[in-house]
Amino acid sequence: MRIPAHSVCTAIRDDIVAGVHGRGSRLTEELLARRHGVSRVPVREALRTLEAEGFVVTRRHAGACVAEPTEQEAADLLETRTLLEPLGASRAARRRTDAHLKVLRGLVRLGQERARHGNSDDLRSLGGWFHDTLAQAAGSPSLTALLTQLRHKIAWMYVVDAPAGPVECWAEHGAVVDAVARGDAERARALMTLHTERSKPGHRLRFASGGGGERTERVRNSQRPVNTPSLRH
């Protein structure tokens, strides 16, 4: 049975984000097909999608390669995030469902509890789940897709430090949810703008200017099934 191209795309994207494929490294269809246990057709389709998303570039005489974004391109991602995350929060205040609100409140309760106990691993996962749910609550598939792609690319280009004040960070999350619950779009937007601005200093580039200092390893040839969960950011 043919594995959907979307599953292959997710697996290759996750490998790029995780550093399995280093910046600038070649992505050969044959090796990727062998690695993920599929034919070359879904791999070819996945590479086209990843090129459209900015993770892959096609080079003359080399074929598909992992992209090598510049520091300016990386900085632009954080600027874009400060625009789109508040827009998503604003729309969520107008379009969220009771189910979205229930999940968001539950995540805030868990996040606040974990923050008080200093469990940073749980907080990172919960934070990703919170932002994913808030994006879905915006009721706009195109905006949700943009925010998801943006978080993948930020995780690829940056090491994100745990917040210095996790309790305060989750208090900010809680304030956003309160505004969303009240349908106060402008306050939700303002609070999310403040939240994203405060998080910027915690982002450190994974690469040096000019593409030097690459720390990730080249593709490994071992097979791996593609039905693995996508990374959360």
Side-chain angles (χ1 to χ4, degrees):
M1 183 177 68
R2 180 184 175 187
I3 296 175
H6 174 73
S7 298
V8 181
C9 183
T10 298
I12 297 173
R13 185 194 298 111
D14 285 352
D15 279 349
I16 291 173
V17 171
V20 175
H21 308 292
R23 286 162 36 87
S25 62
R26 291 186 63 189
L27 297 168
T28 61
E29 291 178 10
E30 183 180 356
L31 289 179
L32 290 171
R34 187 185 311 151
R35 173 176 174 77
H36 298 296
V38 297
S39 72
R40 294 173 64 169
V41 174
V43 169
R44 190 175 303 125
E45 294 175 2
L47 291 176
R48 291 195 193 104
T49 298
L50 293 171
E51 183 168 17
E53 292 179 356
F55 289 95
V56 170
V57 296
T58 300
R59 292 176 177 159
R60 191 176 182 182
H61 306 308
C65 300
V66 178
E68 297 180 86
T70 64
E71 290 187 20
Q72 183 58 61
E73 288 171 330
D76 288 345
L77 287 178
L78 296 185
E79 289 298 324
T80 302
R81 178 175 177 255
T82 63
L83 297 174
L84 292 186
E85 290 272 13
L87 174 61
S90 174
R91 288 193 175 180
R94 298 188 181 100
R95 302 177 181 178
R96 56 82 180 168
T97 65
D98 289 343
H100 288 133
L101 195 57
K102 181 177 181 180
V103 173
L104 287 168
R105 281 175 165 161
L107 289 170
V108 168
R109 284 195 297 271
L110 280 173
Q112 290 174 338
E113 177 185 336
R114 298 296 192 277
R116 288 193 294 269
H117 291 84
N119 194 326
S120 59
D121 289 339
D122 280 356
L123 289 178
R124 190 178 298 275
S125 176
L126 287 170
W129 192 357
F130 174 86
H131 285 281
D132 284 347
T133 304
L134 190 63
Q136 292 163 12
S140 171
S142 59
L143 178 58
T144 300
L146 282 172
L147 286 168
T148 299
Q149 183 184 137
L150 191 62
R151 282 192 289 277
H152 280 304
K153 293 182 83 170
I154 288 173
W156 173 38
M157 297 185 199
Y158 289 95
V159 175
V160 183
D161 296 330
V167 174
E168 291 78 6
C169 177
W170 278 92
E172 292 174 7
H173 285 164
V176 170
V177 173
D178 287 343
V180 168
R182 293 195 304 271
D184 191 338
E186 289 308 310
R187 180 160 177 78
R189 181 193 295 268
L191 288 170
M192 185 54 73
T193 298
L194 181 62
H195 179 66
T196 55
E197 288 288 352
R198 285 179 173 172
S199 73
K200 276 186 181 180
H203 291 72
R204 293 180 289 112
L205 277 175
R206 293 183 184 273
F207 57 89
S209 180
E214 179 64 58
R215 296 193 299 274
T216 55
E217 64 181 290
R218 299 299 179 183
V219 60
R220 293 186 287 267
N221 293 330
S222 59
Q223 291 187 0
R224 189 193 69 171
V226 298
N227 57 343
T228 52
S230 178
L231 296 176
R232 287 192 175 271
H233 314 287

